[in-house]
Amino acid sequence: MSDVSEGTLKSSSRSGYNLVVVESPTKAKTIERYLGTGFKVIASLGHVRDLPKKDLGVDVDKNFEPKYEVIPKSKKVVGQLKKAASTAEAVYLATDYDREGEAIAWHVLQAANIEPAKAKRVTFTEITRSAIEEAFKHPRDIDSALVDAQQARRVLDRLVGYKLSPFLWTKIRRNLSAGRVQSVALRLIVDREREIQNFQPREYWTVEARLSRVDDPQGGVFSAQLHKVRGKKPALETEEQATKHAEALRNASYRVEEVRKKQVRRNPPPPFTTSTLQQEASRKLGFTGSKTMLVAQQLYEGVELGSEGQVGLITYMRTDSVQLSKEAVDSIVSTVESRFGKEYLPQKPHTYKTKSRGAQEAHEAIRPTYADKYPDSVRAYLTDDQFKLYRLIWQRTIASQMKEALFDQTSVDISATGGYLLRATGQVRVFDGFMRVYTEGTDEGEGEEGTGALPDLQEGENLLLVEVVPEQHFTQPPPRYTDASLIKALEENGIGRPSTYAPTISTLLERGYVRRENKKLVPEETGFVVVDFLVEHFPDIVDVGFTARMEEDLDEIASRKRQWVPVIRDFYEEFARHLEKKDHEVQPHLEEADETCQVCGSKMVVRLGRYGRFLSCSRYPECKFSKPLNKPEQPQPTGETCPECKKPLVKRHGRYGDFVGCSGYPECRYIKREDKPTGARCPKCKDGELVERRTRRGKLFFSCSRYPDCEFASWKRPLADLCPKCGGTQFVERNRARCSSCSAEFELTEASDNESDSGRNGEIAGEVEAASSTARV
C-alpha cells in the first residue's frame, strides 16, 4: 500500500509499482499529476466486457448466468492490463463512482485475470489532489451488491430486448426494437401526442380595464382584470358575454376598495443532479441530453489550464443527490462573500433534500471542484460548449448558497359601478439575492410569476378609465415533450436512472420512432404502431408503474435487501410464458387494402416501412410489387402564402411523406423547405447546424442551416456528439463513426437491448449514446 506524505502520493519502498485503472485517457492524465512515480495509470476505455453482440448471452436455465466476452476493440487494452497487473504490487481500480463504475472495475478484474488479493477499489467524486489522496488512503473491496444490481439491470434489459425485438420483427417489420425503459418513454411521447390530437380548444374571453390615477392621467397607467360581477365569477365564454361586460365597464366609475401588500421570498434552486443538469442545459443552452453528458464528462476528467496542467473542473456528473460536502459549502460561502459581499449570505448554509425516487443520498451534487475558479478565468482554455456548461454549473452551485430573493407583492381590488370587481396585481424585486447570479429556466406551459410595479394606490381613491379591452383566448393543448420535460417526467415517475436518460432519447431518435421538430419530440407513425402493439399485447412492458417498480427492485439489490437472481426469475418466467402465448396467437400486423397487385393480381395489404405505411403485395416476398399509400385527405390550407405566385400554401402527402407546397400546382411548383435539425455542428463554418433535407427527387442529404451563406452539404448522416479527440463533426460511414476533421474512426454496434450502460462508453469515446448504436472504443 502506498504512503501519503507532504501532499503527494508515493509508492512503497518495495521494488515495483502500483497499477491504477481508470476509464478514460483524459482522466488518467489528470490523475497522474497527483500520483508519485511509482504509479502506472492505464485507461480501460470504458467497458471491457459485455454480453455477446449476436447471441442472447444469458443462460436462463442456469440462474440467468451471463456469458460475458471481451469487447473486440478492448482486447488490446485488456492485454495491456494483464501484463501490467502481473508485475504490479497492487492494482487500484479507480473507475467511476456509481454502480456502472463498480461493474466496470469487476469486469476489469475478471478480464485481466487480476489476483483478488492485489485488487483495491478506490472511489472519488472530484478529481482534485485532496480527493485523490483521501481515496487512496481508504481503499476497499469491490462492492458485490452494486455489481449484482448493475448485472441484474444488464441481464433484464438483454432479456427484454433480445426476446421482444424479434417478436416485433415478425409481427410488424424488421429493425424495430423494444426496451424496458425505451418503450415506456416512447409511450409517454405517443400518449402526449394523442392528447394534442384529441384536444378540443375551448373559447374564453378576458376583459381588462386600463386605469390611471386622477392626479396622473398620462403616467402610471396599469391594468386590472374583471374578477367578479355581483360577487360571482362572470361567464366569459363568448364574444357576446365579453362585449356586454365591456360596454358596462366603459360607462362605469372606478374606486380602489382594498390594497394588500406583502413580501414574498423566492428560494434558490438546489445544485444540479444529472437530471436537472440535462433539463437546464436543454432549456438554456439547447443541448441534447447526450451532448450535455459528453461535455460534462470532459469537464470532470480534466481540461488543460495552461501552466496548471490538466485540471478536473466539476465533480462527478452522474448523480441524483443534491447534497454538498461541508468542505464544498465552506468554499462556496467564501466565494460568495468575496465576490458579492456578506449581505448575500444566509444566516446558515442552505441544505437540500432530493425529491427523486430511489436517489442515492450518499453521493454529492454536481458542482465546480473549485468554487473560486470563476468561469471567465478559465474561458480561454475551454471550447464554447465547455464554457457554457461550466458557467451554468458554477452559477447554479454558487446561487444555491446565496440568500433568497425578496419581492414586494401588491394586490388591489377595484370596484366599478354596476356591481363589478376588478383585480390588479404587481410584483417588484427589492433584493436580488441568488438571482444576481442565476435564474432557473422553465418548461413550456409553466407560468412565470407576473412582474411590474403598480402605482402607490390608496384605499378609497377614485381612478380614471383609459380603455376597456376584451380579448379572445382559446385553451391550449399540453405541450409536446422536449428533452428537458421528458427527462423530468421519467425522473418523477421513477423510470430509469441518471445514466439512462440521454441514451433512451437517442435510441428513440436513431430508431426513427420520434423526430425532433423545433426542439420538440414528435412521434413518427412507426412509434404509434409500436406503442399500440405493445399496449395491446405486452401492457406491463409499457406500464409506467410496472417499470418504476422494477427500478425499485434493482435498488433493493444494490442495498442488499434482495438477491438478483430471484428478481430476474420473478419477471422472466411470466414474461417468457406470455411471449410464447402471443407468438402463437398474434398474426402479422397487416391491413387489407381495396386494391389488387398490378403484377400478380393478388390482394394488396398495408405494411409499415421505415418511412411509414405503404401498399404491398400480400404474396411478398414471392411478389415484391409495392406502391405508395395514397392518403385520401384533401390538401389542408396552412394559412401561408406562396412566395412565388401568392396563392395559398397547402399541406399535401407525397411519396416521401407530408410536405407543404403551392395550391397552384402544377402551374406553380413551389415546395416549402422543411428542415429537420440533427443536432450536429456544421464542420465548415462551425456556426450552423446540419439539417436533414431532400432533393427534388426525394434523396436524403444533410446541409448547413446557414445556406446559402454556407454551402456545406453531405450525403452521410452526421452525429450530434463531437469527436472526443479533436471536437470535430462525426459522420456515419458503413456502421462506423468517422470524424471529418481528424479522420478518427469509432465502431457503432447494434446492441438494441443495452439501455443500462450504453451511455458510458459513448461519453468516454464520444460516439452516439444510443442503445441501438452504442459506441465502443
Side-chain angles (χ1 to χ4, degrees):
M1 174 62 192
S2 61
D3 301 318
V4 180
S5 62
E6 299 179 356
T8 303
L9 284 167
K10 296 180 179 179
S11 64
S12 66
S13 58
R14 295 172 292 170
S15 61
Y17 59 89
N18 295 310
L19 174 63
V20 180
V21 183
V22 297
E23 291 188 43
S24 75
T26 308
K27 186 176 176 182
K29 186 176 179 181
T30 308
I31 290 176
E32 280 179 336
R33 295 182 59 235
Y34 305 123
L35 300 178
T37 56
F39 287 84
K40 183 175 184 178
V41 184
I42 296 180
S44 72
L45 301 177
H47 289 272
V48 296
R49 294 201 310 174
D50 197 7
L51 298 173
K53 180 179 175 181
K54 296 184 178 179
D55 298 319
L56 177 62
V58 177
D59 193 333
V60 296
D61 298 321
K62 292 184 179 179
N63 290 328
F64 303 96
E65 179 183 338
K67 299 176 182 178
Y68 295 112
E69 60 182 32
V70 175
I71 299 169
K73 299 295 284 186
S74 298
K75 289 181 179 179
K76 182 177 179 180
V77 75
V78 168
Q80 293 172 345
L81 290 170
K82 280 183 180 180
K83 184 176 179 180
S86 65
T87 55
E89 293 180 3
V91 180
Y92 293 93
L93 301 166
T95 48
D96 285 349
Y97 181 56
D98 61 3
R99 293 177 196 170
E100 194 174 341
E102 203 76 19
I104 291 174
W106 179 76
H107 282 296
V108 167
L109 187 74
Q110 300 293 317
N113 296 322
I114 299 171
E115 298 174 25
K118 275 188 180 182
K120 305 173 188 294
R121 176 81 166 111
V122 291
T123 58
F124 38 83
T125 58
E126 59 184 68
I127 303 179
T128 60
R129 183 179 297 278
S130 59
I132 299 300
E133 290 177 351
E134 189 64 21
F136 277 76
K137 283 181 183 178
H138 302 96
R140 60 171 173 81
D141 294 330
I142 290 178
D143 190 326
S144 60
L146 295 181
V147 174
D148 285 348
Q150 187 64 25
Q151 185 164 252
R153 179 187 294 278
R154 187 72 188 89
V155 168
L156 185 63
D157 290 341
R158 172 55 66 103
L159 291 172
V160 173
Y162 267 66
K163 292 290 186 179
L164 194 51
S165 296
F167 182 76
L168 296 181
W169 301 348
T170 59
K171 306 304 180 183
I172 302 178
R173 72 165 173 83
R174 289 194 61 81
N175 296 323
L176 296 177
S177 72
R180 192 176 54 85
V181 176
Q182 161 197 326
S183 298
V184 177
L186 179 60
R187 183 179 184 180
L188 290 175
I189 297 170
V190 167
D191 285 353
R192 175 62 59 86
E193 190 69 18
R194 285 210 164 105
E195 284 185 66
I196 296 170
Q197 292 173 349
N198 297 329
F199 182 79
Q200 298 295 323
R202 180 177 58 81
E203 179 185 11
Y204 70 98
W205 288 71
T206 56
V207 178
E208 185 177 274
R210 292 178 57 77
L211 305 164
S212 70
R213 304 185 73 178
V214 174
D215 57 358
D216 187 17
Q218 300 302 319
V221 176
F222 65 97
S223 298
Q225 273 207 342
L226 174 59
H227 184 55
K228 289 185 178 180
V229 180
R230 298 179 186 87
K232 296 182 178 180
K233 287 282 186 183
L236 292 171
E237 297 174 354
T238 64
E239 182 179 10
E240 183 181 0
Q241 292 170 333
T243 301
K244 171 187 171 185
H245 293 302
E247 287 299 322
L249 288 171
R250 289 190 181 101
N251 298 311
S253 56
Y254 296 82
R255 180 176 181 273
V256 177
E257 291 295 329
E258 184 180 1
V259 178
R260 297 178 296 278
K261 295 183 177 181
K262 66 177 181 178
Q263 192 170 82
V264 296
R265 298 172 180 267
R266 184 181 297 181
N267 294 321
F272 280 129
T273 63
T274 301
S275 167
T276 55
L277 175 63
Q278 291 180 35
Q279 292 175 49
E280 197 73 338
S282 173
R283 298 184 191 110
K284 289 194 168 185
L285 308 179
F287 286 8
T288 63
S290 57
K291 182 175 181 177
T292 299
M293 295 307 292
L294 175 65
V295 177
Q297 182 93 25
Q298 296 165 355
L299 295 173
Y300 167 67
E301 292 176 349
V303 178
E304 285 283 351
L305 299 183
S307 59
E308 289 187 66
Q310 199 93 359
V311 177
L313 289 178
I314 66 169
T315 56
Y316 193 52
M317 63 285 152
R318 281 185 289 271
T319 176
D320 45 21
S321 173
V322 291
Q323 293 184 357
L324 294 172
S325 67
K326 182 181 182 305
E327 294 77 9
V329 171
D330 291 342
S331 176
I332 295 166
V333 167
S334 176
T335 300
V336 171
E337 183 175 351
S338 64
R339 195 161 177 93
F340 306 107
K342 284 188 175 180
E343 65 271 23
Y344 282 89
L345 287 174
Q347 289 185 348
K348 61 179 183 179
H350 295 301
T351 58
Y352 301 93
K353 187 172 178 61
T354 185
K355 297 178 182 178
S356 175
R357 294 171 61 175
Q360 301 174 55
E361 290 296 330
H363 291 187
E364 193 178 5
I366 304 170
R367 60 170 176 83
T369 49
Y370 305 98
D372 59 355
K373 278 200 184 304
Y374 309 131
D376 288 341
S377 71
V378 297
R379 175 69 182 91
Y381 306 103
L382 306 180
T383 66
D384 288 343
D385 290 341
Q386 288 171 344
F387 173 71
K388 290 175 183 177
L389 194 65
Y390 179 69
R391 181 176 58 186
L392 189 68
I393 294 170
W394 187 90
Q395 291 174 335
R396 174 94 164 209
T397 306
I398 297 300
S400 73
Q401 293 302 322
M402 294 177 72
K403 264 188 176 179
E404 304 91 341
L406 300 179
F407 297 82
D408 281 343
Q409 192 176 81
T410 305
S411 179
V412 181
D413 283 351
I414 300 164
S415 63
T417 51
Y420 287 91
L421 180 69
L422 295 89
R423 181 164 290 171
T425 58
Q427 182 173 272
V428 179
R429 191 171 69 192
V430 294
F431 177 65
D432 53 5
F434 76 92
M435 296 181 75
R436 180 168 177 180
V437 176
Y438 178 82
T439 303
E440 192 171 16
T442 58
D443 290 319
E444 182 182 347
E446 294 182 354
E448 287 275 7
E449 292 184 32
T451 58
L454 291 176
D456 187 18
L457 302 172
Q458 304 298 316
E459 292 182 1
E461 96 175 86
N462 294 322
L463 300 171
L464 292 177
L465 175 66
V466 177
E467 63 175 335
V468 176
V469 181
E471 188 172 359
Q472 184 185 39
H473 307 272
F474 291 92
T475 54
Q476 297 298 310
R480 284 172 170 150
Y481 282 111
T482 61
D483 280 34
S485 58
L486 180 61
I487 289 170
K488 184 177 181 181
L490 292 171
E491 183 182 43
E492 288 176 346
N493 287 288
I495 306 300
R497 281 297 177 262
S499 62
T500 66
Y501 300 137
T504 296
I505 295 173
S506 293
T507 300
L508 297 178
L509 291 164
E510 289 293 322
R511 285 289 174 184
Y513 290 160
V514 303
R515 67 180 186 275
R516 275 203 186 92
E517 196 172 279
N518 298 321
K519 298 185 179 180
K520 307 292 178 59
L521 297 172
V522 185
E524 300 281 15
E525 188 171 21
T526 302
F528 283 104
V529 172
V530 170
V531 165
D532 290 345
F533 187 83
L534 291 175
V535 167
E536 180 180 358
H537 301 294
F538 295 89
D540 282 350
I541 296 298
V542 287
D543 180 71
V544 170
F546 177 82
T547 307
R549 287 192 296 275
M550 287 301 304
E551 292 291 350
E552 292 168 359
D553 289 342
L554 295 172
D555 290 341
E556 289 187 347
I557 295 170
S559 59
R560 302 180 187 276
K561 294 178 181 177
R562 299 189 66 178
Q563 297 295 312
W564 77 271
V565 172
V567 169
I568 301 299
R569 182 180 291 115
D570 288 346
F571 164 80
Y572 181 73
E573 289 180 350
E574 176 60 29
F575 172 72
R577 284 195 296 269
H578 188 70
L579 182 63
E580 184 177 5
K581 177 185 176 186
K582 288 293 180 179
D583 194 32
H584 290 93
E585 293 179 352
V586 179
Q587 297 300 313
H589 184 78
L590 298 174
E591 302 173 34
E592 288 193 2
D594 295 329
E595 292 188 40
T596 55
C597 177
Q598 298 175 17
V599 174
C600 69
S602 299
K603 194 76 172 175
M604 295 286 281
V605 294
V606 179
R607 299 184 189 271
L608 180 67
R610 173 75 175 176
Y611 301 105
R613 298 159 76 234
F614 67 98
L615 286 172
S616 167
C617 180
S618 59
R619 292 183 58 248
Y620 178 86
E622 288 80 11
C623 177
K624 296 184 178 181
F625 176 77
S626 66
K627 60 182 288 190
L629 179 66
N630 296 319
K631 289 193 171 182
E633 303 94 51
Q634 293 297 316
Q636 298 295 314
T638 66
E640 301 171 278
T641 302
C642 175
E644 295 184 1
C645 72
K646 306 306 178 185
K647 290 184 179 180
L649 292 181
V650 293
K651 185 175 183 179
R652 302 178 186 273
H653 184 77
R655 181 178 180 182
Y656 303 105
D658 293 334
F659 69 96
V660 174
C662 182
S663 59
Y665 178 85
E667 289 78 14
C668 177
R669 294 177 176 268
Y670 171 79
I671 295 177
K672 183 180 178 182
R673 187 185 298 273
E674 297 286 352
D675 299 335
K676 295 183 180 179
T678 65
R681 185 180 66 186
C682 174
K684 184 176 180 180
C685 70
K686 303 294 193 296
D687 293 325
E689 178 183 1
L690 295 182
V691 294
E692 181 180 307
R693 291 172 173 157
R694 288 189 182 274
T695 65
R696 285 190 174 273
R697 293 182 177 272
K699 188 173 181 181
L700 190 69
F701 72 101
F702 305 89
S703 64
C704 183
S705 59
R706 294 181 61 244
Y707 178 85
D709 295 330
C710 176
E711 297 184 348
F712 177 84
S714 173
W715 299 113
K716 300 170 185 175
R717 178 175 291 278
L719 302 178
D721 292 333
L722 301 178
C723 172
K725 290 188 176 181
C726 71
T729 303
Q730 300 183 101
F731 292 84
V732 176
E733 292 187 18
R734 298 182 299 277
N735 294 323
R736 295 177 67 82
R738 182 182 176 87
C739 177
S740 59
S741 298
C742 69
S743 299
E745 290 191 4
F746 307 96
E747 184 179 0
L748 299 179
T749 70
E750 300 176 354
S752 62
D753 63 298
N754 190 0
E755 294 178 335
S756 57
D757 57 17
S758 60
R760 176 63 54 84
N761 281 6
E763 288 158 12
I764 292 170
E767 287 88 21
V768 180
E769 284 184 273
S772 59
S773 53
T774 305
R776 302 293 184 192
V777 178

